[in-house]
């Protein structure tokens, strides 16, 4: 291995460490606790080293969001692949989405609530975000209906799930009724 390859590998390792540490700290104490000073202390690097990877907290949030989007896409596809038939697949997608949001609240916030500097629904949208949407779209197109664009249907389904996730977490909706809400969403929205 050349010196340059080793340096690139070390840089990538440091970047992964920064993102993992930010994610861990945010999950434990919230995003307000994630500061470059605190991250530098935790990973035992100087703040200038952090700034050589990320220009600030916003970019770190964006990196966590991209990592989370990739994980969500995997979880959604795994849930859909284990389901039999359209109704079960749509219900499995909804449960997997809501489970991801519940298990990873800080990551979910990075993806959809906080400014990570990422573009959504645009040409320059990063691939992990496109792929997470595609994981929904590829399983919802068959239930969208004849006169409904599959992408539009997927956006409405996603917005419904996002609303359920955020309202439940904010204790605006009782969590014990989540299963019934998923069934209602599948039955009414997906007409299954």
């Amino acid at each position: 291995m050349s010196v340059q390859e080793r340096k690139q590998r070390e840089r990538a390792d440091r970047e992964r460490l920064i993102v993992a540490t930010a994610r861990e700290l945010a999950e434990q104490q919230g995003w307000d606790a994630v500061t470059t000073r605190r991250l530098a202390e935790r990973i035992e690097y100087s703040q200038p080293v952090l700034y050589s990877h990320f220009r600030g907290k916003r970019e770190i949030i964006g990196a966590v969001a991209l990592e989370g989007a990739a994980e969500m896409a995997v979880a959604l596809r795994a849930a859909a692949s284990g389901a039999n038939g359209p109704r079960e697949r749509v219900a499995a997608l909804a449960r997997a989405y809501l489970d991801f949001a519940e298990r990873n609240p800080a990551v979910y916030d990075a993806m959809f609530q906080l400014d990570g500097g990422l573009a959504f629904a645009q040409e320059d949208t990063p691939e992990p975000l496109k792929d997470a949407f595609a994981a929904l779209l590829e399983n919802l197109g068959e239930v969208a209906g004849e006169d409904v664009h599959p992408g539009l249907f997927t956006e409405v389904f996603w917005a419904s799930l996002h609303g359920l996730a955020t309202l439940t977490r904010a204790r605006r909706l009782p969590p014990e009724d989540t299963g019934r809400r998923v069934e209602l969403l599948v039955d009414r929205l997906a007409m299954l």
Side-chain angles (χ1 to χ4, degrees):
M1 175 181 299
S2 72
V3 172
Q4 184 175 356
E5 289 172 330
R6 183 182 53 78
K7 285 183 178 186
Q8 287 174 339
R9 188 185 74 225
E10 289 171 355
R11 181 173 176 74
D13 288 345
R14 270 194 314 273
E15 195 164 299
R16 279 191 293 277
L17 178 61
I18 294 166
V19 171
T21 304
R23 183 175 175 165
E24 179 184 319
L25 187 56
E27 291 293 1
Q28 291 171 352
Q29 299 177 29
W31 278 103
D32 287 342
V34 179
T35 64
T36 54
R37 186 165 45 103
R38 199 176 233 178
L39 284 173
E41 289 170 6
R42 283 221 175 172
I43 64 172
E44 299 177 348
Y45 283 105
S46 67
Q47 283 183 290
V49 170
L50 260 80
Y51 285 116
S52 75
H53 290 273
F54 300 100
R55 284 182 282 188
K57 183 175 176 177
R58 181 179 187 219
E59 284 189 5
I60 294 169
I61 290 169
V64 169
L66 293 176
E67 189 175 271
E71 291 170 11
M72 178 182 272
V74 168
L76 293 172
R77 287 190 175 101
S81 72
N84 296 319
R87 185 186 196 296
E88 191 178 316
R89 196 165 22 265
V90 173
L93 281 172
R95 284 190 300 272
Y97 183 99
L98 295 172
D99 288 347
F100 181 89
E102 183 181 0
R103 280 190 329 272
N104 305 284
V107 173
Y108 191 82
D109 284 350
M111 292 168 65
F112 301 120
Q113 303 288 96
L114 302 174
D115 179 10
L118 304 174
F120 281 81
Q122 297 175 20
E123 294 241 353
D124 60 341
T125 298
E127 280 306 313
L129 297 177
K130 289 179 183 179
D131 191 47
F133 185 79
L136 288 171
L137 178 63
E138 63 202 28
N139 289 291
L140 294 173
E142 68 182 315
V143 299
E146 288 181 29
D147 296 332
V148 179
H149 186 279
L152 184 62
F153 179 83
T154 301
E155 289 171 352
V156 171
F157 191 80
W158 169 35
S160 299
L161 293 174
H162 176 69
L164 289 173
T166 55
L167 290 170
T168 301
R169 190 165 116 207
R171 302 194 190 288
R172 302 299 194 271
L173 297 174
E176 62 271 11
D177 292 332
T178 298
R180 291 180 28 215
R181 287 187 197 95
V182 167
E183 292 301 314
L184 182 62
L185 178 65
V186 171
D187 288 342
R188 304 294 184 199
L189 188 61
M191 306 267 247
L192 296 169

